[in-house]
Amino acid sequence: MRTTIKKKLVIILYSDAKRKYFSSDEHYQTEVEVYSRSKIIKKRLEKLGFKVIRLPGDVALFNKLKKLKPYITLNLVDSVGGKEKKISLIPAVLDLLSIPYTGAGVTGLSINANKCLTKIILKQSGIPVPKFQLFTSETQKLDKNINFPLIVKLNEAHGSLEINQKAIVVNEEQLSQRIKYLIDKYKQSVLVEEYIRGKEITALMIDDKSKKIILAEERILFKKDKYPLYDFEAAWGKKEIYDCLPYKLNKHITNYIKTAFEVLQFKDYGRFEILINKNGDYYFIDSNANPAFGPYGTTSGPFGYLLHVNKISFDFVVKKIIKNTISRFKNKYP
């Protein structure tokens, strides 16, 4: 492969994360990490024989890409101007310029930027999700079919932002207060869903075209909270407060993952968070079309870790994804 890719130009796009764009230090923290991760990926690609340039996903991107005319673009952008709901603008620009890119397209990223829409599509596709409701105001009434305790989440933000013990509410007063706090601070809608107690499984799917690579881990939390959950501290704190164990998925969950990947219009890779309660029931609680792509030892989290523990080379995966991406766009961009 080296002889065919030598000197091919690859553009790595990363989030243009500036503190002023974000409503909190925590939100900024979840976005700025891609800058350092993109630098490490650049070095790995250069060793494979590519010429690599890194660019921020900002307003100047169109003219820069038009001039550079890359062979392919690795899209690592998680937000535009601090807004995750704008990430579909990046593949839109790439489509306009007929530049092949990794990861989900406009539709897939638009869906993924809206947790409520994601839940609706999964539910209608027969994939189990907790009972949920979207709130745009703290004065809305809770659906009578939804039962406490509930977990209150930002509808347009990933990275476990604002996920902590305060996110769990047990009555109407707490629910109203939490919704108001999130809407006032982040200026976006809020998703409320039934809290599910159980094993938390992270599953990574890599679409190798010829086969689906599905890897999973179970997260074991060290701290004993009233409501166990993988929170912001676990995701971003400096101290390790959880461990991971390889988890063997059964056929039912594997089929659910394949279906979710398809109906959510993911491409190349995707990550899913699944809870399994004491009765063995499954619930898909989160999906991520842009799951911190990168090698083990970076801030790639489960992506790099699951490759590492399953003895799968990141270089092998990135070459496969680039090859498949070029093939996918061959007929789209003649």
Side-chain angles (χ1 to χ4, degrees), residues 33 37 202 204 217 219 230 234-236 240 242 244 271 273 291-309:
E33 64 81 24
R37 179 158 47 90
T202 297
L204 172 68
E217 65 183 20
R219 290 169 173 162
Y230 183 77
W236 300 100
E240 291 288 345
Y242 74 99
C244 295
R271 193 178 77 231
E273 308 298 333
F293 178 78
Y296 179 63
T298 65
T299 48
S300 60
F303 195 107
Y305 176 78
L306 282 168
L307 293 182
H308 173 72
V309 296

Side-chain angles (χ1 to χ4, degrees), residues 24-300:
S24 68
D25 289 337
E26 291 80 10
H27 198 186
Y28 172 66
Q29 184 180 351
T30 67
E31 295 297 312
V32 73
E33 64 81 24
V34 70
Y35 180 83
S36 57
R37 179 158 47 90
S38 68
K39 291 171 70 175
I40 294 171
I41 296 172
K42 178 178 184 288
K43 292 179 180 178
R44 300 291 284 264
L45 288 174
E46 287 172 339
K47 287 182 179 180
L48 293 174
F50 291 104
K51 178 182 177 182
V52 186
I53 296 175
R54 297 163 55 251
L55 293 176
D58 58 17
V59 294
L61 183 62
F62 184 93
N63 288 332
K64 290 178 181 177
L65 289 174
K66 188 176 181 180
K67 182 178 179 180
L68 290 168
K69 298 179 180 179
Y71 173 65
I72 191 173
T73 295
L74 268 63
N75 182 19
L76 309 182
V77 177
D78 283 322
S79 65
V80 176
K83 305 295 183 183
E84 292 181 48
K85 66 181 180 181
K86 293 184 178 181
I87 57 173
S88 60
L89 294 173
I90 301 301
V93 167
L94 294 164
D95 282 334
L96 281 171
L97 294 171
S98 298
I99 298 172
Y101 56 89
T102 59
V106 173
T107 303
L109 289 184
S110 296
I111 293 170
N112 195 237
N114 189 313
K115 290 180 180 177
C116 184
L117 178 58
T118 297
K119 287 279 198 302
I120 291 170
I121 292 172
L122 292 177
K123 183 179 179 181
Q124 291 184 344
S125 301
I127 297 170
V129 297
K131 292 178 183 177
F132 64 93
Q133 182 178 343
L134 185 69
F135 283 78
T136 56
S137 168
E138 73 276 11
T139 61
Q140 282 180 241
K141 295 297 183 182
L142 180 68
D143 189 312
K144 293 180 180 179
N145 294 316
I146 300 177
N147 301 307
F148 290 100
L150 305 174
I151 182 166
V152 187
K153 305 176 177 179
L154 290 163
N155 187 48
E156 300 168 359
H158 288 89
S160 299
L161 183 63
E162 293 290 351
I163 299 299
N164 50 49
Q165 290 298 296
K166 293 179 181 178
I168 311 297
V169 298
V170 298
N171 56 48
E172 296 274 2
E173 182 181 1
Q174 289 181 4
L175 175 62
S176 177
Q177 290 174 352
R178 189 64 182 177
I179 291 171
K180 185 178 188 313
Y181 162 75
L182 292 177
I183 290 177
D184 287 350
K185 187 172 183 178
Y186 293 95
K187 314 302 180 189
Q188 62 176 267
S189 55
V190 170
L191 183 70
V192 172
E193 63 186 40
E194 291 187 351
Y195 170 78
I196 306 297
R197 186 184 293 269
K199 289 183 180 180
E200 184 161 345
I201 308 301
T202 297
L204 172 68
M205 177 168 157
I206 299 171
D207 189 0
D208 188 18
K209 196 173 182 180
S210 59
K211 64 177 181 178
K212 316 294 185 187
I213 300 173
I214 301 178
L215 312 171
E217 65 183 20
E218 178 185 356
R219 290 169 173 162
I220 311 296
L221 293 168
F222 297 154
K223 60 178 183 175
K224 303 297 181 183
D225 289 321
K226 184 176 181 180
Y227 298 101
L229 75 167
Y230 183 77
D231 59 12
F232 185 86
E233 183 186 6
W236 300 100
K238 294 181 179 180
K239 186 178 178 181
E240 291 288 345
I241 59 173
Y242 74 99
D243 196 5
C244 295
L245 296 176
Y247 189 86
K248 187 174 182 180
L249 299 170
N250 62 37
K251 186 177 180 180
H252 292 295
I253 301 182
T254 299
N255 287 337
Y256 282 142
I257 290 168
K258 291 177 181 178
T259 300
F261 192 94
E262 181 179 354
V263 299
L264 297 177
Q265 298 196 38
F266 286 8
K267 301 294 182 184
D268 298 321
Y269 38 67
R271 193 178 77 231
F272 303 92
E273 308 298 333
I274 304 162
L275 280 170
I276 306 175
N277 70 12
K278 62 181 180 180
N279 297 320
D281 301 318
Y282 324 123
Y283 297 90
F284 278 59
I285 60 169
D286 198 19
S287 306
N288 198 323
N290 199 0
F293 178 78
Y296 179 63
T298 65
T299 48
S300 60

